[in-house]
Structures are given as C-alpha cells and as structure tokens.
Amino acid sequence: MKISYNWLKELVPTQLNIDEFCEKLTMFGLEVEEVVQPGKKLENIVIGKVVSVEKHPNADKLSLCKVDVGGDESLSIICGAPNVVKDILVPVAMIGAKLGDFEIKKAKLRGVESFGMICSEKELGVSDDHSGIMIIKQDFEPGTPFADAMGINDNIIEVEVTPNRPDLLGMIGVAREVAVMLNTEYEHPEIAFEESEVQTKDEISVIIEDAEKCPRYCARMVKGITVQHSPEWMQRKLVASGLRPINNIVDVTNYVLLEYGQPLHAFDYTKIKDKTIVVRTAKDKEKMMLLDDTELKLHSNNLLIADTEHPLALAGIMGGLDSSINDNTKDVVIECAYFDPRNIRASALEYGLQTDSSNRFERGMDPNGLIEVIDRAAQLIQLTGGGEISSGVVDCYPHKIEPKILTLRVSRANSILNAKMSVDEVKNYLNNFEFSTKKTSEDTFEVTIPTLRPDIEREIDIIEELARCYGYNNVESHFWINRIDNKQKRTVVRLTKNHLISLGFFEVNNMSFASPDDLDVLKIPENDFRRKVVEFANPMGEQFSIMRSTLIPDLLKNADLNLSYKFENFKLFELNRIYLKEREDTFAEPTYLTGVIVGKFDPFYWKEEQRATSFYDVKGIVESVFSKIHCSKNITYKVSNQPYYEEDSAADIFLDEKKIGSCGIMKDDVLKSFEIEALVLLFDIDLSNIIPLYNEKAIRFTEIVKYPPVLRDIAVIAPSDIEVGEIEQEIKSVDPNIIKDVQLFDVYTGKQIKQGCRSLAFNITFQSETSTLTDKYVDKLFDNIVNKLSLEHQIELRQE
Amino acid sequence: MKEQIQEILEEARRSIPSCESDKDLEELRIKYLGKKSSLSDLLSKIGTVPKEERPQMGALLNKTKKEIAQLIEQKKLKLHEKADASRALGLDVTMPGRPLPVGAKHPLYQIWEEIEDIFINLGFEVAEGPEIESEYYNFDALNTPSWHPARNPQDTFYLKGGKLLRTQTSPMQIRVMEKFKPPIKIISTGRCYRVDKMDPSHLPVFHQVEALLVDEGITMSDMKGELDSFIKRIFSADTRSRFRPHFFPFTEPSAEIDILCINCKGEGCKLCKNSGWLEMGGAGMVDPAVLEEVGYDPEKYTGYAFGLGIERIAMLRYGISDIRKLVTNDLRILKQFQ
C-alpha cells in the first residue's frame, strides 16, 4: 500500500525524518518496501509569470513569450498552446529539467531561440489534460519550485501490509498503528454536516435476503448534486496514492476508501426501481453488465445488490453499468456494507475480478465502523458537489457482530518474551491499540478487541502485539552456540581422514605410550625436538616409560604386524597427538598426521604389471592432502636429511618458512630394526600449524574466464642441478597474469642429452581475463620465456 | 634421392594401415626402419649428395623415419584395440574391474564421530582439552577429596614434574566454565588414562565423551531426557536407560547409568551376565561446590553432567568382546570396517 507521508502527518504529528520514520515502521512490523519522492522528478521546474505574448514571426501557431521565473531577466520561451495569455502563472521547465527521459535544452524553433518550456498537466504527470498549458490559479511568487507549490514534495512510502491486517489498508488505520508505535494520539477527520428534512428511510428501503453473506448494509442519500471535477487537494491525495481522479462522486468514494480502507459504492438514485435495494443471491444464469462493459452469467452463490427487478452491482466487487454515476446524475445513494469475506473471495476468484474493493472485503472489514464511513462520504459529496443530505442512515443490521473479549495473563506475556513488562505498561500498550481493558486480577485483564482487528483471536495474538510494542530488539538474546566449538579442527581432521580413506588408507589407533629405544632406532639426533619427551613418574614398565613424541614407530610396528599376516601392499595412517616437554612443567600436544605406504602403491590388477612405487607416490599423497585442506599455496618442499630416509629420496615440508614435516622412502636398516623387509614410504606432518589456517568461509566464487586458454609445449635441456620447481617459477614469472599454469609432462635423460643435463617438457597454459590472446602475443611471451631461461639459467630450448 | 625417399614413404603409407597382425607389422617395421632397410641404406649414402643439400636431405630422412615409426605405432594400438574388442565379445563380467583402493576409519573413531554428531544435533558444542593436566583441574576443582583412591599412583599416571594424565574428560568442564558464563552446553571428548593392566575389559588408554549442561532451571529430568535421546540414537529406538545411585565427588546426586541389554533386551544373556542391563557410565547433577569453584552462583544455576566410554559403546555396537582388539591395528580387523 502507498502512504503519503504528508497526509499521514496530518493525522499523526511526527517530527521524524523520513528515514528514521521508515526504519521505525519496518521494525514495528509494517515493512517499508520503497520510498518514492515524486518531487524529485520535478527539479528545475518552477512557477513562471507570463509577462508578454507575441506571435512567432515565422509560425502561425506558435507564440513567443517572455516569462518571469524570478531571475533578473525574463526568459524567452516559445509556446504552442492555444491558452497562453499575458499575466497567467504557469509551470516552466527550465533548461536542465527532465520530463521523463526528455531533457529540456536550449532550442531553436523556426529560427527563434527558446530557453525552456511551458508545460501541460499531462507533461508534468499531474493529470491527463494535454489540451493546453497548465494554468496555476493560486498566487505564487515567480521562481517558486513547482513541486513546493503543488505540494508534491512528498514522500510516498510503499509498505507491505501482511494479509492478516485489513485495518491497515486505510490511512486512518495506519495512523492508529503509527500512534501506537510513537506512543501518541492520532486524529479522525472531523465529520459534521446538516441533514435536510427529507428522511432517508422514506426515499430508499433496504432488504437483506441473505444475512449470512451480507451481515450489514447501510445507505445514505445526497440529493441535487453536481457531477464535476473534485477539488485539487483531493485530486492530489488520490494521485499521491496511485489513483486517477475521475469526477467528484467517484473521487469521494475512492478518497474515503483511502482514508478508512472501507470500500463504498454510489448509485444513481433514478436507476433504482421501486426505491428499493435488495441484497440477494443471483438466480441461476441471471446476467448482468459490469462497469467495465463485461457481461457476467451468474449463479446462486454470487451475491448481488439489486433493485426489485435488476442487479445493480456484484456485491463488494464491482458496480453495474446501468446504475453508475454519469454527468447528469443529480441524486446519489451511497452504499456502505459489510460482506462475508469468504463469499467475496470466491466470487472475485471465479470471475478474475481482483478490485480494490474485493481485495479489502475478502480480508474482512470492520462491520461496526460503517456509520462513520458513510457519514464521511456524505459530507465529502456535499462538499464537492453541493446538494442536500437526507436525514439519517438506513441501517440494515439484523444480527450485531460483537467484539471479542479475551483474557490476557501479563505473566504469560512476560514469560514468552522473557520480558518484565509491568501491568500498567501492558495496559497502556493495549489501550493504544484501542483494546479496552478491565483488570480482573493482579495478573489478568479482560481485553475487548474491536471488530476492526479480525486477526486478534487468542491470548497469544495479543501477546504478539505486546511484543511489537516492547520491541523485538529489546528481547534479550539467550545464546548457546559458537563460543567454544572446535569446528575448525573437526573439519580439517575429518576432511583429511576421509580423503586418505578414499585413497585406500586404513586408520590405526595406537596408545600414547612409547619407549625411548624407539627414538634411537629411528636415529633421531639428541638435539631433535622429539627428544624432549614427557616422562612418567610411575611408568607401567620400561616399554611404556615415555609419552610418544612421534607416531612413526607405532606405524612401523603396525606395518610389521600386518606383513607377518601376509599383507604385502597396504597403507596405514594415524592422526593423533604427540606429547612434548617444553619446559619443566609445560607441555605441548600437537596433532600429527603420519602414514606409511608398504609395498606397491597401486592395487594389483590382472591386466597390468604392478608399477614400482617411488618418492613421487608419497609426495602425491601429501600434495593431495594439502589441497584438500586448502593450504597447498603455502607449502614448499626441500631435500630432507632426516636420518630415517634413504639418501636423495625424501623431502622436508615447509609451511611458509616453518618446517612442519617430511615424506620419503624409509631407510632399509631402519626398517630392518622393525623387522620389515618391504619397501616403506612415510609421511609425517604436524597439522597443528595448518588447522588454524583452514577457513571455509574464504572460498569465493570467481567468474569463469570467458576468453579461451592457449596451450603451448616447451621442451628444454636444463642442467640437472636446477630444480623443476624453480624452472616452473621462472616460466610463470615472465607474466604471472597470463601464464596460468605450468605442468611438467616429460623428463628424460639419456644418450642424446648432454652429460649433467636433463630434458624437461612442460605444458604451459596462457590465458587472459580481458581479451582473446592472439598467436602473435603468445609467440612473444614464448620467446621471452626462452630468452629468460637461456640468459639467466643456461637452459636451452631443445632442438628437434 | 629425394624421389626415392618419397617413394618409400608413399609405400609405407599404403602398406602399414592394411596390415592385419602383429607379426606382419613387425615385418614391416624391419623393412622400413631396420638396419638393412632402404632408408638406412640411403642414410649411409648421404655422403654422395652435394654438400649444400646434405643437411636438407638428412632432415628429410629423419622426418620420414619418424612418420613411418608413428604410423607403425598407431597401427599397433589399433590392432590391440581390436584384440580388446574381440575379447569383449566374449566378455567375462565376473572378472575384477580395475581395483580402486578403499580404506577405512578405525572403528573406534567411526563411533567417536557418530557420537559427536549426535550431540551436535542435540545442540551441544564440542570442546577439547589437554591430556596432560594438573591435579587442580583433574581432582581439586572437581571436588575430589584428598583421600580419594583415584588420586593414588596405583590409579593415576603422574609425570615427572608433577603433572598427571587426565583420568577423565571432566577437567575440560572446569576449563570451559572458568572461561564462559552460563548457559553452557558442551561435550568434551578425548583420550583419558588410568593405570590398568591390559585385559579383555581394560586398557590404560581409553576415550571418553562427557556432556555438561549448566543454566537456570536445569533439572535431573533434563539429564535423563537428553541421555535417553542419545542412547536411543546411538543404539536403537527401543533402548532404555536407568539410573542407579552411586558416588562421584563432582556430582550430587550421582548415578550410574545402565541401559537395557542391547543383545537380549532385558531377558538376560551372556553379554549382560544375565542381569538384563549393561553398565554405561556415570552421571549426576553438578555438585554446588564445583559450580562455586568456577564462580557460578549455585543457587541460581544448576546443571548436569554424564560421561560415557567410547570404547564401551564401540564394543557393544560392533559386538567386540575384547577391548584390546581396538588397539591391535590388524588389517584383518580394520578391513571389516570399510
């Protein structure tokens, strides 16, 4: 629903600026969807006074006007409208103003310059009138902004009214809600008029045949009116709320609809046969012609407003064509009724007629608010069209609908909201909502719910209203989660374990105890951190005299055991803590991931010969773990000199500059100490430093590059002491933005290759994020790579 | 010479693709690329070519050799594909596919994860703590009297320097409560240690899960309800639990938890030693002295704690009768848990 902030302020005084107001309204439950400032569109449009009008020298239909717009000099403006004359006030769009997409610029019309445009009402969006320029009747200083003069400097607030709140479909309902929100008062319009001596009941009678579908029907008469334009203030409010002015009678019904939310209908009195309105259901196959020229074929569930012979309107949805107001209408019957929401919904749905009227009736209007509404309509019809208001309302209301009375326990409300509202506070909130209260005990109220609030049916519904007053954001939050949880570690541990398992590893579980001999067997030097062991004061024997400071010995014992059970090729890992003594009584318990690959890496396959395992198998495992837990970028490898690896067969692993582990082929004599004769590859990684780096929230989507990659191979002869990793880096460094990937795909040493060198072949991916790469450009980069490798590293392109 | 080379190449291009068997192909290879082939012959005669044409001719020879080698290689692959395809005609679907490895988590850790997940779903947070603890956290703060036998070196591992290995995960409760205000709703999990000779039902190293909930208005009903919903999830929906009065220094009232024997459902069997019930762990309402120790007002807050052995749960779930099976790391056992 659209709310004019200016109009609202007439009903509820508030000093809040529009942003503050909207924020409050949203937090109170009336969600603001959009705020539109119609005045914004009218910038650079001002009131001008036409000082002189002359004929255009070169065109009959154009006039050359001088217009005073408040500046030192009058503007020369060419105008084509027939109604432009001297001394009138007109809206002037000055240079720079925008009318829709059309920007006003200095223009030359038939050889004469024009510095602006005098506008019609249609051009300004005020009405549909384009017969001539708009003439402003009130008095304004030339130069006054048009939006100010017209009162269009408003904020139109579009709010989402939830379907349970039909009372908020009118300005007064909104004002009532805002008054509660601001803890203030709001005003009803003042309704006062004189009634003629003619009694309404002598002019018109109402018969309700189906009181279930129409519980109440009120009618009033205004005689001797003139159908004409409605006054400007009314038109302005209609436009602001998104309605189009038509004539004073239709405009009044629409205006009252905007005010009260209650739909009205006006009939031409002379069209009502026998001065009798009959509210009845349609006969089967009865026909009627609607206002919009469509003919309906009705049936017995449709409720009609009829006279003694013909239908006048499809109740609550749309009027009939025959009885509608026309320019010659003199006497008007105003209808104000309460219809059963279910019936309206069914009929509206059936005929696809979702009108302003049906939308409101099907949510449930206030059956007890009709008299105020019909009086308001009579008052406004008289005000805008003259005539005489007949005396009294014909009010057909067979069974009065009584307000609901509910019991509210203050303690219950407080316990649901975890609030401490006092009894008085609660009473005040309820009374602001116009719920009357009777205190029935220290803790309870009897609350009378006005019929305008069909949504309040139970105690809990009242408590919801109290919650809104109390403020959802003032409810204390009582939280459990996200203070202690070790989710990061749990995630890394589980990812790692699941990954290794799908690579064929079995997890083992060894106890935390160890013997100092284990460290000797691994040849771990005296100054190694793993020698800082945690010792028992009361060990369970020499075999268990320390806490283990490495997981390696246990895994080798597990390997030995399983080899003895005739398993030849298998992979084991353990992910557990090790224990280190830092100082006399401070200890560290870092989490380690240690694994062994025993025998052949690939499972046996009848179709192929089983491949020999190499260092690169264990390195591949390690690399895949790191990429699974998102830290590959920080990892580097250097040749290891751990004493339990074969020479030149192992790497130390670094996280940035810190050594966090190693992997490689285990030394034969170390394995012999564990009675192992098979080939064993080992990895041993401290996860403690990696876990804190894991951040699943750091994963961000990057747009797929829409330009195709270019692939090129390069084969080089490089001295064997230059590491492949270094060459890859060197290649990338030529243009890191374009060279996306460098992949080694062939290594060869042999007769054809110079002694001390090896042949390396790489696949290079070039890709730009901003354009398609040309062959020429890639050729250039390729040459740069070749030059760089040869000049700086004596790496030569391999000749075919 | 150029024409001769060209001729050989043309011939090779015709004959190689039409070859039908590995044997024929091998013959062709010898014919074109062998030591006595016409190409080798031409190569040896390269000296007869005018000097300035020699490099060009050499390159052409090499190129031709390469192409023929390629043709032969391609043909070889094709012949083998055919062999595979013809074998496929007599496809034996019972022969093993290319084996991809499948490992397994250790059964104990599988159960541990399952337990964690159940509690996480019940709204608990998971806390971990050090295994090397002080006497204060393991005993004093948990209201353990100085005469309590658990403090003896016959029961608890002491380290050189005075610290000890935690005998339960409860010290973590103290650490969490010291740091955070209620409400507290955590489980602490991990390794615990007691001086026990290894036998079918004891290991010196074992794992525990312990739940702790402290807030206003927590009652013994909450404890029974939460424990029961855990038991039903980890075993089965018809598993019931009961509480027997017991003594723990840090809870009051304290109880031991039994569950209806999952094997005989209370009828009596070997597993439950004919009692119909299985002992599962300890529980109780947090002792006010413990709450006071961490600075909570015991009049305002109440709480419960219960602790369960993870090995015990794993053994019951998998039907393992000897706890030592959980640390042998024998692949014949581990492979059962793929």
Side-chain angles (χ1 to χ4, degrees):
Chain A
M1 181 165 114
K2 286 183 171 145
I3 298 170
S4 150
Y5 193 41
N6 287 349
W7 189 355
L8 188 66
K9 282 192 284 193
E10 291 172 19
L11 301 169
V12 205
T14 162
Q15 304 299 321
L16 294 175
N17 73 35
I18 184 69
D19 293 337
E20 293 164 346
F21 179 78
C22 289
E23 169 72 16
K24 259 192 137 75
L25 202 59
T26 297
M27 295 317 292
F28 198 60
L30 252 176
E31 193 186 337
V32 174
E33 289 178 328
E34 195 187 10
V35 178
V36 177
Q37 289 155 327
K40 271 262 162 75
K41 289 189 285 190
L42 300 172
E43 269 177 83
N44 286 320
I45 298 171
V46 299
I47 305 282
K49 185 173 184 181
V50 182
V51 185
S52 66
V53 179
E54 287 169 31
K55 263 200 133 26
H56 190 289
N58 306 324
D60 283 347
K61 289 193 174 158
L62 296 181
S63 318
L64 186 52
C65 311
K66 292 272 182 206
V67 185
D68 173 10
V69 290
D72 295 338
E73 257 179 73
S74 298
L75 295 181
S76 296
I77 297 176
I78 293 170
C79 179
N83 60 339
V84 63
V85 288
K86 191 168 174 282
D87 288 338
I88 55 169
L89 291 179
V90 291
V92 177
M94 303 206 295
I95 287 163
K98 275 186 182 159
L99 297 170
D101 291 333
F102 174 62
E103 191 180 332
I104 305 294
K105 291 179 189 146
K106 193 168 88 174
K108 221 172 200 178
L109 288 161
R110 299 274 181 107
V112 182
E113 286 192 317
S114 178
F115 296 87
M117 185 172 108
I118 304 176
C119 307
S120 72
E121 291 191 8
K122 188 178 179 186
E123 281 160 343
L124 296 173
V126 174
S127 78
D128 269 344
D129 189 356
H130 196 47
S131 58
I133 53 169
M134 178 177 180
I135 296 171
I136 293 157
K137 300 187 182 84
Q138 300 98 315
D139 198 22
F140 292 104
E141 276 294 305
T144 309
F146 177 72
D148 285 353
M150 294 293 105
I152 305 174
N153 255 348
D154 195 357
N155 291 284
I156 307 300
I157 307 167
E158 174 106 42
V159 295
E160 187 203 333
V161 176
T162 52
N164 60 331
R165 293 296 303 272
D167 62 305
L168 295 180
L169 296 171
M171 290 300 294
I172 290 171
V174 173
R176 187 186 298 116
E177 190 83 352
V178 169
V180 179
M181 175 178 97
L182 301 174
N183 198 13
T184 177
E185 310 262 302
Y186 72 102
E187 284 172 29
H188 280 263
E190 202 176 304
I191 303 173
F193 51 83
E194 273 184 23
E195 297 180 319
S196 70
E197 292 188 350
V198 180
Q199 290 290 316
T200 315
K201 63 179 192 301
D202 297 336
E203 301 280 329
I204 189 103
S205 21
V206 173
I207 299 165
I208 299 181
E209 285 187 0
D210 189 334
E212 202 176 299
K213 293 191 172 68
C214 176
R216 190 179 191 185
Y217 195 98
C218 302
R220 250 195 187 282
M221 289 268 307
V222 189
K223 300 184 80 172
I225 53 113
T226 312
V227 176
Q228 58 189 7
H229 283 307
S230 52
E232 210 180 292
W233 62 265
M234 186 179 281
Q235 291 198 14
R236 199 185 298 148
K237 283 180 173 169
L238 290 173
V239 170
S241 306
L243 292 173
R244 203 158 271 285
I246 295 168
N247 62 43
N248 55 338
I249 307 300
V250 176
D251 290 359
V252 165
T253 57
N254 281 335
Y255 184 81
V256 176
L257 175 84
L258 292 178
E259 266 190 333
Y260 286 91
Q262 166 74 39
L264 295 166
H265 196 70
F267 298 104
D268 185 327
Y269 180 54
T270 58
K271 306 283 173 60
I272 302 175
K273 198 163 164 57
D274 295 334
K275 301 181 179 180
T276 303
I277 288 175
V278 184
V279 185
R280 62 167 171 88
T281 48
K283 294 169 199 123
D284 266 335
K285 293 180 187 149
E286 187 172 359
K287 286 180 183 169
M288 90 165 283
M289 192 66 126
L290 293 180
L291 262 178
D292 64 354
D293 275 339
T294 54
E295 193 186 51
L296 296 187
K297 212 185 260 171
L298 305 163
H299 59 74
S300 64
N301 202 36
N302 303 131
L303 190 68
L304 293 179
I305 311 301
D307 55 22
T308 52
E309 281 182 4
H310 300 291
L312 302 172
L314 184 59
I317 298 174
M318 196 182 273
L321 190 59
D322 293 340
S323 60
S324 62
I325 305 294
N326 59 55
D327 289 351
N328 303 316
T329 300
K330 291 282 170 240
D331 302 333
V332 177
V333 176
I334 313 163
E335 161 200 296
C336 186
Y338 174 74
F339 300 114
D340 174 33
R342 286 162 302 177
N343 180 259
I344 301 290
R345 194 178 308 134
S347 292
L349 203 65
E350 184 178 351
Y351 299 112
L353 293 168
Q354 315 293 334
T355 61
D356 276 344
S357 172
S358 71
N359 281 337
R360 286 170 161 88
F361 278 123
E362 64 182 45
R363 295 180 182 203
M365 291 287 107
D366 178 12
N368 295 320
L370 302 185
I371 300 294
E372 181 178 341
V373 178
I374 203 167
D375 284 351
R376 175 65 170 163
Q379 174 197 22
L380 289 176
I381 286 177
Q382 189 179 50
L383 190 77
T384 62
E388 293 194 324
I389 301 171
S390 306
S391 185
V393 177
V394 173
D395 182 4
C396 203
Y397 195 6
H399 310 288
K400 183 164 192 254
I401 296 170
E402 298 290 348
K404 280 181 290 272
I405 296 171
L406 303 173
T407 300
L408 171 78
R409 291 162 292 166
V410 174
S411 57
R412 174 76 176 163
N414 278 330
S415 86
I416 285 177
L417 306 178
N418 190 24
K420 294 188 179 70
M421 293 180 289
S422 69
V423 172
D424 287 341
E425 222 174 317
V426 167
K427 180 175 161 30
N428 183 38
Y429 288 147
L430 294 175
N431 294 345
N432 280 350
F433 277 115
E434 296 176 12
F435 299 173
S436 56
T437 47
K438 197 171 112 194
K439 202 168 160 187
T440 47
S441 82
E442 274 313 303
D443 187 42
T444 53
F445 284 111
E446 214 173 76
V447 187
T448 305
I449 311 297
T451 46
L452 61 90
R453 290 297 302 273
D455 60 312
I456 308 286
E457 294 180 309
R458 300 158 302 165
E459 182 188 42
I460 192 72
D461 299 323
I462 305 178
I463 293 173
E464 183 186 45
E465 297 306 281
L466 293 174
R468 293 199 296 132
C469 294
Y470 183 75
Y472 281 20
N473 290 327
N474 293 327
V475 175
E476 200 183 309
S477 73
H478 190 169
F479 64 97
W480 295 104
I481 296 301
N482 276 340
R483 295 187 297 174
I484 304 156
D485 202 42
N486 65 342
K487 178 154 182 287
Q488 194 178 34
K489 179 175 178 192
R490 191 166 62 238
T491 309
V492 172
V493 166
R494 289 191 182 187
L495 279 175
T496 306
K497 285 186 178 182
N498 291 340
H499 179 68
L500 287 171
I501 282 153
S502 46
L503 295 172
F505 280 80
F506 286 86
E507 183 185 25
V508 296
N509 166 36
N510 291 295
M511 296 197 287
S512 320
F513 308 144
S515 151
D517 293 348
D518 294 339
L519 299 174
D520 297 337
V521 171
L522 285 182
K523 305 175 197 277
I524 289 175
E526 283 309 317
N527 59 357
D528 191 281
F529 69 96
R530 285 165 287 195
R531 288 285 182 179
K532 293 178 184 158
V533 295
V534 180
E535 292 172 282
F536 287 108
N538 56 336
M540 284 178 78
E542 183 57 25
Q543 196 196 342
F544 280 166
S545 69
I546 59 168
M547 299 285 283
R548 57 181 173 168
S549 59
T550 165
L551 306 181
I552 301 170
D554 279 337
L555 274 156
L556 292 175
K557 289 173 195 168
N558 299 151
D560 173 43
L561 178 85
N562 285 300
L563 284 164
S564 75
Y565 294 141
K566 305 293 173 223
F567 291 101
E568 287 175 356
N569 308 312
F570 56 90
K571 312 182 185 95
L572 306 175
F573 79 92
E574 180 163 6
L575 197 163
N576 255 324
R577 299 184 194 190
I578 63 161
Y579 308 86
L580 300 169
K581 183 162 149 186
E582 288 188 321
R583 279 186 301 278
E584 203 43 49
D585 63 347
T586 57
F587 303 92
E589 302 176 22
T591 297
Y592 262 67
L593 169 67
T594 305
V596 289
I597 299 164
V598 180
K600 294 280 198 314
F601 183 88
D602 292 332
F604 172 76
Y605 181 31
W606 53 269
K607 222 173 160 209
E608 286 163 11
E609 207 177 311
Q610 226 169 345
R611 192 173 54 81
T613 310
S614 82
F615 164 78
Y616 298 104
D617 289 314
V618 70
K619 194 190 172 200
I621 295 282
V622 167
E623 283 172 321
S624 73
V625 168
F626 289 140
S627 95
K628 194 75 205 166
I629 56 180
H630 307 164
C631 64
S632 308
K633 278 195 182 140
N634 309 53
I635 298 287
T636 48
Y637 301 84
K638 287 178 191 154
V639 173
S640 173
N641 54 12
Q642 291 284 5
Y644 40 78
Y645 290 121
E646 291 288 351
E647 213 171 304
D648 279 340
S649 301
D652 283 337
I653 303 166
F654 291 81
L655 176 72
D656 300 320
E657 300 303 310
K658 194 175 161 56
K659 188 156 129 187
I660 58 157
S662 64
C663 62
I665 301 173
M666 292 213 76
K667 223 179 202 149
D668 271 349
D669 59 340
V670 171
L671 292 175
K672 280 217 181 75
S673 323
F674 289 91
E675 289 162 16
I676 296 173
E677 286 182 10
L679 178 72
V680 174
L681 277 66
L682 172 81
F683 58 87
D684 182 42
I685 302 160
D686 181 1
L687 288 182
S688 306
N689 294 294
I690 298 171
I691 289 165
L693 302 180
Y694 184 79
N695 179 9
E696 55 211 340
K697 294 184 187 75
I699 301 178
R700 305 293 299 176
F701 165 78
T702 32
E703 198 54 67
I704 293 167
V705 179
K706 54 182 174 184
Y707 304 102
V710 177
L711 305 178
R712 290 280 173 91
D713 293 344
I714 184 169
V716 293
I717 309 285
S720 297
D721 59 346
I722 304 180
E723 289 179 343
V724 168
E726 192 188 344
I727 299 174
E728 285 174 353
Q729 282 312 314
E730 282 301 297
I731 294 174
K732 270 188 197 160
S733 73
V734 168
D735 191 342
N737 291 325
I738 302 287
I739 300 170
K740 298 290 183 210
D741 196 19
V742 180
Q743 284 280 348
L744 178 74
F745 75 87
D746 189 38
V747 183
Y748 176 73
T749 49
K751 267 192 276 176
Q752 287 94 325
I753 310 300
K754 201 161 47 168
Q755 195 78 48
C757 284
R758 53 184 174 172
S759 159
L760 301 169
F762 298 92
N763 191 291
I764 308 175
T765 306
F766 301 85
Q767 191 171 33
S768 158
E769 273 136 43
T770 52
S771 63
T772 301
L773 293 176
T774 60
D775 278 348
K776 216 170 136 192
Y777 189 81
V778 176
D779 288 345
K780 206 184 86 197
L781 280 180
F782 194 87
D783 287 346
N784 290 348
I785 293 169
V786 172
N787 288 338
K788 177 157 194 175
L789 292 178
S790 113
L791 291 176
E792 293 173 22
H793 303 280
Q794 288 77 51
I795 297 171
E796 299 303 335
L797 199 61
R798 184 173 169 185
Q799 304 296 331
E800 287 300 317
Chain B
M1 182 180 260
K2 203 172 166 186
E3 289 80 49
Q4 277 172 295
I5 298 172
Q6 207 60 45
E7 219 167 88
I8 294 167
L9 182 61
E10 289 299 322
E11 196 196 309
R13 278 177 181 163
R14 273 196 308 275
S15 58
I16 294 169
S18 59
C19 163
E20 284 297 333
S21 70
D22 272 355
K23 195 168 152 268
D24 293 350
L25 193 66
E26 182 56 19
E27 273 168 19
L28 286 174
R29 191 189 69 77
I30 293 163
K31 177 176 171 197
Y32 292 116
L33 304 174
K35 278 186 186 138
K36 290 176 185 163
S37 68
S38 35
L39 281 177
S40 299
D41 190 39
L42 286 170
L43 192 63
S44 66
K45 288 181 192 152
I46 201 147
T48 65
V49 176
K51 209 173 181 182
E52 58 277 14
E53 284 177 29
R54 254 180 241 164
Q56 199 196 340
M57 214 47 77
L60 181 66
L61 267 169
N62 273 330
K63 199 176 144 226
T64 309
K65 263 184 142 171
K66 219 174 179 180
E67 187 180 334
I68 292 172
Q70 229 166 23
L71 282 171
I72 290 172
E73 201 51 43
Q74 279 168 6
K75 182 67 200 176
K76 206 180 215 166
L77 280 175
K78 255 193 193 146
L79 281 174
H80 286 196
E81 248 172 53
K82 242 189 197 164
D84 266 7
S86 67
R87 199 177 298 146
L89 290 176
L91 177 73
D92 183 350
V93 292
T94 63
M95 286 174 79
R98 177 183 286 279
L100 294 170
V102 181
K105 264 181 213 177
H106 192 280
L108 181 74
Y109 294 120
Q110 291 190 27
I111 287 288
W112 186 354
E113 281 189 11
E114 209 179 309
I115 292 170
E116 272 185 348
D117 287 344
I118 290 171
F119 279 110
I120 289 167
N121 283 330
L122 291 170
F124 286 82
E125 298 179 79
V126 183
E128 275 189 55
E131 294 165 24
I132 299 173
E133 266 294 3
S134 66
E135 245 188 299
Y136 173 77
Y137 285 111
N138 197 69
F139 291 126
D140 301 346
L142 287 162
N143 198 34
T144 316
S146 56
W147 47 262
H148 197 286
R151 288 182 183 252
N152 293 342
Q154 288 80 16
D155 282 327
T156 299
F157 286 105
Y158 287 89
L159 302 173
K160 284 186 183 165
K163 292 219 169 172
L164 51 76
L165 295 183
R166 64 177 177 190
T167 58
Q168 56 213 1
T169 45
S170 317
M172 198 49 202
Q173 299 181 3
I174 303 295
R175 289 178 178 275
V176 168
M177 287 195 286
E178 274 181 348
K179 223 168 146 187
F180 301 100
K181 292 226 157 335
I184 298 282
K185 191 175 183 182
I186 58 158
I187 56 165
S188 44
T189 54
R191 286 194 163 195
C192 303
Y193 304 83
R194 286 179 198 171
V195 182
D196 270 322
K197 282 257 145 39
M198 286 169 73
D199 66 29
S201 46
H202 294 92
L203 285 177
V205 182
F206 59 98
H207 297 73
Q208 248 195 5
V209 54
E210 204 167 280
L212 171 74
L213 194 154
V214 182
D215 199 0
E216 289 177 54
I218 299 301
T219 67
M220 211 153 155
S221 306
D222 296 314
M223 170 172 80
K224 290 184 74 174
E226 206 95 67
L227 185 86
D228 225 37
S229 67
F230 169 75
I231 293 293
K232 286 181 189 326
R233 281 167 157 94
I234 195 80
F235 294 112
S236 62
D238 60 356
T239 311
R240 283 192 288 124
S241 61
R242 71 173 188 188
F243 290 73
R244 271 182 295 109
H246 195 73
F247 167 69
F248 300 113
F250 37 90
T251 49
E252 201 74 67
S254 301
E256 276 206 320
I257 309 158
D258 292 338
I259 62 165
L260 199 66
C261 178
I262 56 165
N263 186 37
C264 64
K265 307 285 175 199
E267 296 287 309
C269 66
K270 208 174 141 201
L271 179 65
C272 59
K273 298 187 188 98
N274 276 320
S275 72
W277 294 91
L278 296 167
E279 202 181 306
M280 284 303 297
M285 300 302 287
V286 182
D287 196 296
V290 173
L291 294 176
E292 227 157 67
E293 184 66 31
V294 295
Y296 289 2
D297 176 358
E299 284 299 310
K300 188 173 176 191
Y301 296 110
T302 50
Y304 69 73
F306 59 79
L308 305 163
I310 298 176
E311 276 84 354
R312 172 83 168 147
I313 295 173
M315 288 164 74
L316 288 173
R317 267 278 298 270
Y318 295 125
I320 298 172
S321 55
D322 186 337
I323 195 171
R324 291 172 297 185
K325 292 273 192 298
L326 292 172
V327 290
T328 55
N329 301 311
D330 180 339
L331 279 167
R332 293 170 303 179
I333 295 172
L334 299 179
K335 278 181 185 264
Q336 297 175 29
F337 296 92
Q338 281 172 330

